[in-house]
Amino acid sequence: MSLAEMTRTDSPAPDGAHPSVVEWVDDIARVTEPDHIVWCNGSPAEWDALARQMVASGTLTRLNADHRPYSFLARSDPNDVARVEERTFICSATPEEAGPTNNWREPGEMRATLGRLFHGSMRGRTMYVIPFSMGPLGSPLSKLGVQVTDSPYVVASMGIMTRMGTAALELIGDRTQWVRAVHSVGAPLEAGQDDVPWPCNETKYITHFPESREIWSFGSAYGGNALLAKKAFALRIASVIARDEGWLAEHMLIIKVTNPRGRVFHVAAAFPSACGKTNLAMMQPTIPGWKVETVGDDIAWLGLGDDGRLRAINPEAGFFGVAPGTGISSNPTAIDTIWGNTIFTNVALRDDGDVWWEGLTSTAPDHLIDWEGKHWSPASGRPAAHPNSRFTVAARQCPTISDDWEDPQGVVIDAIIFGGRRATNVPLVVEARDWEHGVYLGATISSEQTAAAEGTVGELRRDPFAMLPFCGYNMADHWAHWLSVGQRLRKSGTVPRIFQVNWFRKDQDGKFLWPGFGENSRVLEWMLERVDGQVAAKESPLGLLPTDDGLNLDGLDLNGAQVAELFAIDTEAWKTEADATEQFFATFDGRVPEAVQKQLAVLRSKLG
Ligand code: OXD
Ligand code: MN
């Protein structure tokens, strides 16, 4: 018996563990050969022990408790700072099932590659077994998973981002469908070899097997590459489960909005990464009498409830928010949320032991240690925090968390918003004429490239439903699935309204036309007054627009020309955009649903 085999049994599976989990863990251990196995129970004591261990090993720095109680800073390897989309693979049986927007690999071939990579990949390390629930424990809308990982940073993060531990494990029974997620940083340690604070591997594979509901991730410990409950499970694998079971797994925030008359609405909104979803989810309205509360900031699972209405849960338990740009003025609620009990990754460290990033305050401190551990001053000419630096914090710490955010039946969705980051063409707000038109608006979202994924910042990219990197199957089939959900909603009698928004339109001098942030409440007001039947709208080739005095602009410093520019429709530019959409649709080899193609024809005919 090898040493690895002898030590593997040092932490027996807990009594409540289902044999299917125990056998699977054993199989993975046989391949990855960890020195130890630890079954995580999800207790505060366990979290604390992990945090102490990571402080001792240099992975975490404890922040000054006077400023930021029980909080930590992690600095990643400079080559492991974001999701790696070109290393993200969907291994469905055929390339057509993955579709042209995903990287497909033949499953057998990928399994052989992964077998080689994972062989002995946890040597010298501990393998942690993390059972977790996505969604409230025991909710009919929740799903269970188990991730194994050799990264204690991932365990601590999953402890914040999911309902993790024994209670989730005990829900796995004979007939439970649960998602298997294997993660290794891919940095085995030889006997006596010193570890580094952020082990990872230059070779990275973020791999999904939709049919068997499995995830295998190798080489990275950062964010969505490694916290497999988030993008890999709750979006890529869940979107496939949702297609098969008749619901939707979407890259959407959820908010509860109360109007001055006391009517409550719930809104789900899809925006591409780093377009301010967390800011909108925690928005403080500037208009009197309106209240916004937070249900979720990144992912929504939506399905038809017993009442035939569209209901949604936030499957996550925490926020993994982008730090830069999150500030006292842009998102005071987030700042209040992260007062303590927070893991910060790749932000800068202040001399007083607190954290800082660009946009937190209007002026930078004179001296910082930057995200790479180097001395920094405002004269350094480079950002102190990495543009994709993050905070990881429990959702329950958010002062605006909604009282129904853990409702096991989900919240009723009254409106759906699709947004992109567009400097030109797309008006501030448009209402879809019907569900089919709404699906077209979702299918044609485009945005400028951001820092959340690796790639060239600034390039315009198509991001249908803000799901481009997250849909686990053919994107055109996703649109067909949305259409079928719409048909079922229509039969049951209540179809949420769909809107498109664009906070990011610029004037000729390149300046944003719309103030954004809390002022976006004015757009929410218009949309929800539409839902409530209180305001009129006017037809345009793009859909329904506010009438001339429809949008509440009281107290805003916007002149008539600027408002006109926010809603201007440049017919020629839209004809060009329609041509580009036709080309985009052509990449799906005839799979784009008829009803979506028809919307493009309608747009063209309305443009004249
Ligand atoms: C995220 C993303 O981290 O969308 O939420 O990239
Ligand atoms: Mn996201």
Side-chain angles (χ1 to χ4, degrees):
M1 198 190 277
S2 73
L3 182 65
E5 271 170 318
M6 276 157 51
T7 52
R8 241 188 2 243
T9 52
D10 66 341
S11 164
D15 288 345
H18 191 266
S20 64
V21 182
V22 179
E23 278 159 31
W24 174 74
V25 167
D26 220 47
D27 287 349
I28 303 300
R30 209 163 290 125
V31 175
T32 58
E33 300 178 357
D35 278 12
H36 305 279
I37 299 178
V38 169
W39 289 72
C40 299
N41 59 26
S43 68
E46 176 183 86
W47 204 96
D48 191 58
L50 274 172
R52 283 171 196 278
Q53 175 194 321
M54 284 189 277
V55 170
S57 69
T59 301
L60 295 184
T61 302
R62 194 181 284 271
L63 299 177
N64 182 338
D66 291 340
H67 299 299
R68 202 69 66 172
Y70 206 57
S71 296
F72 301 89
L73 168 65
R75 287 194 197 106
S76 79
D77 184 294
N79 295 315
D80 191 23
V81 292
R83 288 186 291 99
V84 281
E85 288 176 14
E86 68 291 352
R87 305 299 305 160
T88 299
F89 303 97
I90 301 292
C91 303
S92 39
T94 65
E96 292 73 29
E97 280 162 271
T101 59
N102 280 314
N103 293 322
W104 177 80
R105 288 288 187 281
E106 199 280 316
E109 209 175 279
M110 182 57 92
R111 283 195 191 276
T113 304
L114 293 173
R116 282 192 296 276
L117 287 169
F118 277 86
H119 180 84
S121 73
M122 296 189 187
R123 267 182 219 151
R125 298 192 181 278
T126 296
M127 178 169 98
Y128 300 91
V129 183
I130 317 171
F132 61 93
S133 172
M134 296 310 282
L137 282 160
S139 156
L141 301 172
S142 297
K143 297 276 173 204
L144 296 158
V146 182
Q147 174 167 347
V148 296
T149 179
D150 53 6
S151 161
Y153 167 86
V154 166
V155 181
S157 304
M158 289 277 290
I160 296 173
M161 295 302 296
T162 71
R163 283 96 174 164
M164 182 266 263
T166 310
L169 183 63
E170 286 174 352
L171 288 173
I172 298 182
D174 284 346
R175 290 222 284 270
T176 317
Q177 175 196 65
W178 55 278
V179 170
R180 291 148 172 80
V182 186
H183 172 248
S184 174
V185 294
L189 290 168
E190 300 304 328
Q193 186 185 340
D194 284 339
D195 203 357
V196 292
W198 188 278
C200 60
N201 194 308
E202 260 173 55
T203 302
K204 295 180 176 42
Y205 279 84
I206 322 299
T207 312
H208 307 72
F209 294 89
E211 279 93 8
S212 54
R213 322 299 200 210
E214 258 174 285
I215 305 156
W216 288 74
S217 165
F218 180 89
S220 166
Y222 205 89
N225 297 336
L227 315 181
L228 300 181
K230 195 174 178 61
K231 305 299 188 181
F233 177 172
L235 289 175
R236 297 194 193 97
I237 296 294
S239 62
V240 176
I241 301 176
R243 175 200 60 192
D244 296 348
E245 294 181 355
W247 50 280
L248 301 162
E250 298 297 326
H251 191 203
M252 288 178 166
L253 65 90
I254 309 168
I255 49 177
K256 173 180 171 184
V257 187
T258 310
N259 75 11
R261 299 184 294 278
R263 178 164 172 196
V264 169
F265 305 86
H266 289 92
V267 179
F271 289 82
S273 301
C275 278
K277 288 225 309 292
T278 305
N279 290 350
L280 181 55
M282 299 179 184
M283 182 225 270
Q284 295 191 357
T286 52
I287 46 174
W290 287 78
K291 188 162 155 197
V292 172
E293 291 164 284
T294 312
V295 177
D297 81 326
D298 194 39
I299 299 177
W301 286 357
L302 312 104
L304 265 74
D306 292 340
D307 53 5
R309 307 197 63 181
L310 189 64
R311 288 180 167 267
I313 59 165
N314 167 14
E316 301 190 277
F319 306 125
F320 180 63
V322 177
T326 305
I328 321 274
S329 53
S330 63
N331 191 341
T333 309
I335 299 301
D336 288 346
T337 306
I338 57 178
W339 61 269
N341 306 323
T342 304
I343 301 178
F344 296 91
T345 307
N346 286 348
V347 302
L349 183 65
R350 292 167 53 108
D351 294 346
D352 64 2
D354 198 1
V355 282
W356 191 84
W357 51 80
E358 281 69 22
L360 174 62
T361 52
S362 50
T363 46
D366 291 340
H367 177 261
L368 294 164
I369 301 296
D370 74 6
W371 70 275
E372 290 189 90
K374 297 184 189 137
H375 289 282
W376 183 95
S377 78
S380 298
R382 59 174 198 276
H386 187 276
N388 191 36
S389 55
R390 300 282 180 149
F391 54 82
T392 310
V393 67
R396 67 174 128 59
Q397 247 178 244
C398 176
T400 59
I401 200 77
S402 173
D403 57 359
D404 53 10
W405 86 281
E406 296 194 280
D407 186 334
Q409 302 307 320
V411 296
V412 172
I413 296 297
D414 301 283
I416 293 171
I417 303 175
F418 293 117
R421 179 187 282 270
R422 294 294 307 268
T424 60
N425 277 14
V426 180
L428 179 63
V429 58
V430 179
E431 181 183 336
R433 290 182 203 96
D434 51 26
W435 183 271
E436 286 69 22
H437 183 216
V439 171
Y440 176 83
L441 294 179
T444 53
I445 294 181
S446 48
S447 193
E448 284 147 20
Q449 180 80 44
T450 67
E454 294 195 333
T456 321
V457 174
E459 249 169 49
L460 190 73
R461 71 171 195 169
R462 297 257 164 196
D463 196 348
F465 284 77
M467 285 286 278
L468 186 79
F470 306 127
C471 189
Y473 62 104
N474 192 309
M475 183 62 82
D477 296 354
H478 178 244
W479 305 340
H481 182 52
W482 264 79
L483 292 168
S484 77
V485 170
Q487 271 157 17
R488 281 167 53 215
L489 285 167
R490 198 165 282 146
K491 274 200 199 113
S492 67
T494 37
V495 188
R497 298 278 182 97
I498 302 182
F499 299 86
Q500 177 188 49
V501 301
N502 177 27
W503 319 134
F504 302 99
R505 198 158 179 176
K506 291 185 173 169
D507 67 13
Q508 261 108 10
D509 303 327
K511 285 205 352 236
F512 287 116
L513 283 159
W514 181 248
F517 302 108
E519 303 296 2
N520 293 336
S521 54
R522 296 166 188 275
V523 180
L524 276 182
E525 175 182 27
W526 185 75
M527 293 188 278
L528 296 176
E529 291 291 72
R530 287 287 302 154
V531 171
D532 209 14
Q534 303 290 324
V535 286
K538 66 177 186 202
E539 250 296 340
S540 86
L542 307 182
L544 303 167
L545 299 180
T547 53
D548 289 345
D549 56 355
L551 197 64
N552 173 1
L553 299 172
D554 291 352
L556 262 196
D557 190 19
L558 271 184
N559 62 38
Q562 287 166 320
V563 178
E565 238 181 308
L566 270 170
F567 286 98
I569 299 174
D570 177 337
T571 307
E572 286 316 306
W574 272 101
K575 285 183 180 166
T576 309
E577 184 131 355
D579 293 346
T581 299
E582 183 181 342
Q583 281 166 21
F584 175 55
F585 285 176
T587 61
F588 292 94
D589 291 332
R591 255 173 129 115
V592 173
E594 208 35 60
V596 173
Q597 291 283 14
K598 199 177 126 206
Q599 292 297 328
L600 176 58
V602 170
L603 171 67
R604 281 181 158 146
S605 77
K606 286 187 185 281
L607 289 168

